[in-house]
């Protein structure tokens, strides 16, 4: 069995990264491994955080060993964390890397930890090239990536990016596992009732933090299509704005869409996720560019078909015509697919395909992939990782 450290957001921080990291830790524990999670005492300074709060209001996860040691803007915390890991000698460390801003902290910690000539350094890499460009992205990312021995990606697009940035280091692809920690599916009628929605309508779902690259504006433009206006369909927008809402409000006003929307534009707690997905007929991800999306893996868990745009790694996971639709990132293409879904009654056929398709997205397989990668890395001394 292995002694593993995961570094990244977890409780009391909120959001998809925290949810994933907690579920990954439990997956290792289910295999008999010892897991410690090191998270942030300060993840972002408040002036850099676009949402309402960084912190969860829900109960903490049970049976997880969590230490909040890292202050993202305090180098002293990076040094103390790195020295702690150097001394504690885990078999391998998995850094959850999603943003260049974390590069200096993570790169410093990784270098210090590796000085014990035993611990292997892995990166679970969401993005090698960020969705939204900022000053410092390139040097911060290079500083971190150069401190790692191996990489796991959840999209082939990121794998290709890493091949360019770190061509001589091992890297493996494994699709994002299912988010199976939001409860069991519930009947659509119960979910609609739980959300206080009108059962006379059918519902589309846009879910997650609202940022420019996620294409909510494309979906609103598509939803304004006069062919869709004739259908008893409403769009649920469930997620907090992480940018100025005004451009979206202008589209809503321009096309008089307000009466066709259900607004839930705040952070959706984990306990409510089941209702939003189970109330929907189709989950729509109209991204302008992307790597992978945890939203797809929530939809799969709840047996919901999806519409995704043909960008990044989204189409890898949602076979067109089987789990849903893959369209161009254009309002017309999105509108055509939505019209096809409702007028040709596609839901039942697509839902029937999902149970078989989602078998490939297991946590056990992800854990096995990570451990195999760690064991393939030559240790700096004669020691080898326990397994």
């Amino acid at each position: 069995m292995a002694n593993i450290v995961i570094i990244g957001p977890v409780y009391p921080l909120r959001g998809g990264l925290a949810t994933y990291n907690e579920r990954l830790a439990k997956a290792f524990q289910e295999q008999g491994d010892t897991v410690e999670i090191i998270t942030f005492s300060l993840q972002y300074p408040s002036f850099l955080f676009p949402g309402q709060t960084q912190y969860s209001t829900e109960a903490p996860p049970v049976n997880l060993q969590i230490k909040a040691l890292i202050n993202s803007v305090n180098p002293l915390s990076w040094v103390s964390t790195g020295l702690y890991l150097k001394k504690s000698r885990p078999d391998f460390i998995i850094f959850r890397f999603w943003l260049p801003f974390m590069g200096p902290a993570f790169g410093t910690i990784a270098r210090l930890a590796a000085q014990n000539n035993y611990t292997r350094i892995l990166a679970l890499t969401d993005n090698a090239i960020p969705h939204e460009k900022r000053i410092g992205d390139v040097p911060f990312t290079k500083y971190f990536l150069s401190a790692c021995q191996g990489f796991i990606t959840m999209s082939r697009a990121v794998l290709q990016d890493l091949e360019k940035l770190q061509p001589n280091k091992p890297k493996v692809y494994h699709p994002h596992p299912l988010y199976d920690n939001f409860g069991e599916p519930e009947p659509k009628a119960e979910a609609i009732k739980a959300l206080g929605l009108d059962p006379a309508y059918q519902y589309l779902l846009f879910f997650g933090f609202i940022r420019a690259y996620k294409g909510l504006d494309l979906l609103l433009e598509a939803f304004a299509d006069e062919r869709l206006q004739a259908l008893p369909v409403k769009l649920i927008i469930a997620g907090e704005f992480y940018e100025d809402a005004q451009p979206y409000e202008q589209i809503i006003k321009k096309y008089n869409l307000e009466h066709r929307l259900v607004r839930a534009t705040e952070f959706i707690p984990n306990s409510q996720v089941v209702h939003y997905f189970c109330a929907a007929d189709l989950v729509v991800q109209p991204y302008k560019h992307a790597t992978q999306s945890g939203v797809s893996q929530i939809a799969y868990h709840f047996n919901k078909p999806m519409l995704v745009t043909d960008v990044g790694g989204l189409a890898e996971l949602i076979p067109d015509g089987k789990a849903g639709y893959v369209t161009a990132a254009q309002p017309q293409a999105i509108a055509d697919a939505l019209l096809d879904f409702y007028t040709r009654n596609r839901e039942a056929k697509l839902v029937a395909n999902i149970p078989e398709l989602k078998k490939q997205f297991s946590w056990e397989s992800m854990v096995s992939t990570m451990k195999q990668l760690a064991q393939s890395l030559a240790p700096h001394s004669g020691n080898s990782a326990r397994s």
Side-chain angles (χ1 to χ4, degrees):
M1 302 305 169
N3 180 13
I4 299 159
V5 170
I6 298 171
I7 295 182
V10 291
Y11 187 90
L13 298 169
R14 68 178 198 182
L17 290 171
T19 299
Y20 183 106
N21 293 338
E22 291 164 14
R23 182 63 183 85
L24 177 63
K26 291 179 179 178
F28 276 112
Q29 290 177 334
E30 289 165 1
Q31 299 299 309
D33 300 309
T34 300
V35 184
E36 178 180 60
I37 310 174
I38 294 179
T39 190
F40 297 90
S41 58
L42 176 69
Q43 181 176 216
Y44 303 113
S46 58
F47 71 91
L48 291 178
F49 183 70
Q52 297 173 9
T53 177
Q54 300 178 50
Y55 298 100
S56 173
T57 58
E58 299 190 285
V62 297
N63 300 324
L64 291 182
Q65 184 181 353
I66 297 172
K67 293 183 177 178
L69 302 181
I70 304 170
N71 182 317
S72 65
V73 295
N74 184 347
L76 293 177
S77 77
W78 314 344
V79 172
S80 62
T81 301
L83 293 176
Y84 165 74
L85 292 168
K86 176 183 176 182
K87 183 178 180 180
S88 62
R89 289 169 56 87
D91 291 319
F92 58 95
I93 300 171
I94 302 167
F95 285 87
R96 184 68 185 273
F97 186 69
W98 74 101
L99 193 67
F101 177 75
M102 299 302 170
F106 285 3
T108 300
I109 293 167
R111 284 170 169 80
L112 290 170
Q115 287 178 2
N116 61 23
N117 295 321
Y118 175 75
T119 299
R120 290 85 180 283
I121 308 296
L122 307 181
L124 175 57
T125 312
D126 290 81
N127 303 298
I129 299 171
H131 298 302
E132 298 160 322
K133 305 296 190 294
R134 298 177 179 87
I135 295 174
D137 283 352
V138 173
F140 289 175
T141 298
K142 286 184 175 179
Y143 179 70
F144 170 67
L145 297 182
S146 64
C148 299
Q149 293 175 272
F151 304 93
I152 307 100
T153 78
M154 293 182 288
S155 85
R156 299 188 193 281
V158 175
L159 191 68
Q160 292 173 0
D161 291 339
L162 284 171
E163 285 288 1
K164 299 173 185 176
L165 296 170
Q166 293 288 323
N168 299 319
K169 293 181 179 179
K171 52 194 74 69
V172 294
Y173 161 77
H174 190 286
H176 194 306
L178 288 181
Y179 271 133
D180 56 3
N181 45 335
F182 293 108
E184 293 301 311
E186 64 184 4
K188 187 180 294 183
E190 290 184 14
I192 287 172
K193 182 178 179 180
L195 295 176
L197 302 178
D198 186 345
Y201 288 88
Q202 294 174 283
Y203 295 93
L204 299 167
L205 176 64
F206 176 95
F207 186 89
F209 298 134
I210 300 169
R211 310 193 82 142
Y213 74 87
K214 293 190 176 182
L216 177 59
D217 55 337
L218 300 181
L219 178 55
L220 291 171
E221 294 274 0
F223 202 55
D225 189 297
E226 62 182 14
R227 298 171 297 169
L228 292 173
Q229 292 183 36
L231 301 177
V233 177
K234 290 191 175 186
L235 169 63
I236 302 172
I237 303 173
E240 186 177 352
F241 279 100
Y242 266 34
E243 61 178 11
D244 184 10
Q246 193 55 38
Y248 305 99
E249 299 295 348
Q250 290 174 354
I251 297 173
I252 292 168
K253 184 177 181 180
K254 176 181 178 181
Y255 294 109
N256 189 28
L257 297 178
E258 188 64 53
H259 67 290
R260 300 173 58 210
L261 303 179
V262 176
R263 292 177 181 255
T265 49
E266 64 277 335
F267 181 80
I268 308 299
N270 288 353
S271 59
Q272 298 296 307
V273 169
V274 57
H275 303 317
Y276 285 94
F277 278 82
C278 290
D281 308 313
L282 184 74
V283 177
V284 186
Q285 299 176 76
Y287 291 11
K288 298 175 182 177
H289 53 93
T291 48
Q292 65 282 314
S293 171
V295 173
S296 300
Q297 302 305 64
I298 305 175
Y300 263 127
H301 171 63
F302 289 118
N303 299 314
K304 292 295 171 178
M306 291 157 268
L307 183 155
V308 301
T309 45
D310 191 10
V311 297
L314 296 182
E316 296 170 6
L317 304 184
I318 295 86
D320 187 39
K322 293 184 178 180
Y325 296 83
V326 178
T327 78
Q330 300 171 349
Q332 182 68 51
I334 295 168
D336 289 345
L338 295 177
L339 188 71
D340 179 84
F341 178 75
Y342 281 110
T343 60
R344 296 179 181 270
N345 299 313
R346 302 288 195 190
E347 182 179 12
K349 180 180 177 180
L350 295 173
V351 169
N353 294 330
I354 289 175
E356 185 63 30
L357 291 169
K358 72 183 186 182
K359 289 180 180 178
Q360 62 187 299
F361 305 124
S362 77
W363 287 98
E364 182 180 4
S365 176
M366 173 60 89
V367 163
S368 176
T369 296
M370 290 180 169
K371 293 173 78 171
Q372 288 174 17
L373 176 61
Q375 291 160 5
S376 74
L377 300 173
H380 296 290
S381 68
N383 296 318
S384 61
R386 296 183 295 274
S387 60

